[in-house]
Amino acid sequence: MELTDAQIGGWVGSFLLPLFRIAALLMTMPIIGTQLVPVRVRLYLALAIGVVIMPTLPPMPSVDAISLQAFLLIAQEVLIGAMLGFALQLFFHAFVIAGQIVATQMGLGFASMVDPTNGVSVAVIGQFFTMLVTLLFLAMNGHLVVLEVLTESFVTLPVGGGFLTTHYWELANKLGWVLGAGLLLVLPAITALLVVNLAFGVMTRAAPQLNIFSIGFPLTLVVGLVIVWIGLADILAQYQLLASEALQLLRDMAQLR
């Protein structure tokens, strides 16, 4: 069996180039791209997705498998997939930031645990919010929306087409919404805990002999937990708002409408 350079180049363009974009997204996106999923499983999943969507993709450029153009196209596909995955990471980290802020305000910042998804220590409240948003993301088929955006991106951002335009630099300026989103999630808790701390300050001035540390710390902790418990009643509405913004940002990055 003899294979020509044109045939090898056609196979590289039709399968391997889209595979790099798919694999880059799966390596960087939340849930699938974490340490909980082995790299080999992610590669097998990328191969399976590539085989399924390959018949629906537009014609791919035919390039030499070992040329400079092929390496540049591979780098471009990896960058596009990583950008899409990074946008989703920002959405998840908004809840991590929210949990870290409220844990610090209520005096629970020292209670940390290892996050198995990232391999770092985070506050317990932040880890709770991470698990909660992961379950909500899967329950509302957010991963299917991501795969839909990925498939359609091969039409709006074809392999070999230019994508580093002013449009992307404008989108990069919008990525700072993650900190604002994290603050918005815990703003009621921060306000309530601030009132509690001000009350303890007044008590200290009124009764200096009162040991404020032995009374204030456990009371602040209990009040903070109660506030978090009450705030969970509205977490679904906040999640839907932030998820819609994050997925719309994902579609804007893929130039979808």
Side-chain angles (χ1 to χ4, degrees), residues 36-89:
L36 297 177
V37 182
V39 177
R40 184 176 298 178
V41 174
R42 282 178 264 173
L43 289 176
Y44 289 156
L45 185 59
L47 286 172
I49 296 175
V51 170
V52 171
I53 69 174
M54 187 175 63
T56 65
L57 299 182
M60 299 293 169
S62 180
V63 295
D64 188 2
I66 56 174
S67 63
L68 179 60
Q69 181 184 5
F71 286 107
L72 292 178
L73 289 177
I74 290 173
Q76 174 180 312
E77 295 305 301
V78 171
L79 183 58
I80 293 176
M83 288 173 61
L84 297 178
F86 180 69
L88 285 175
Q89 287 283 1

Side-chain angles (χ1 to χ4, degrees), residues 112-217:
S112 61
M113 61 180 297
V114 177
D115 184 4
T117 60
N118 299 316
V120 296
S121 295
V122 297
V124 175
I125 304 296
Q127 183 63 21
F128 171 74
F129 282 163
T130 301
M131 292 187 292
L132 181 62
V133 72
T134 300
L135 294 176
L136 290 175
F137 188 78
L138 294 175
M140 296 186 176
N141 294 327
H143 56 293
L144 299 181
V145 178
V146 174
L147 294 179
E148 179 186 1
V149 173
L150 174 64
T151 305
E152 295 180 2
S153 68
F154 287 102
V155 178
T156 57
L157 296 175
V159 177
F163 69 98
L164 290 177
T165 61
T166 309
H167 176 70
Y168 280 91
W169 295 114
E170 294 176 355
L171 288 175
N173 295 327
K174 299 179 182 179
L175 296 181
W177 66 273
V178 58
L179 182 58
L183 291 174
L184 183 62
L185 284 171
V186 295
L187 188 59
I190 293 176
T191 305
L193 291 173
L194 179 61
V195 172
V196 172
N197 290 327
L198 289 177
F200 284 138
V202 173
M203 291 172 58
T204 305
R205 295 290 296 177
Q209 68 276 10
L210 184 64
N211 190 353
I212 196 63
F213 292 102
S214 60
I215 300 176
F217 178 75

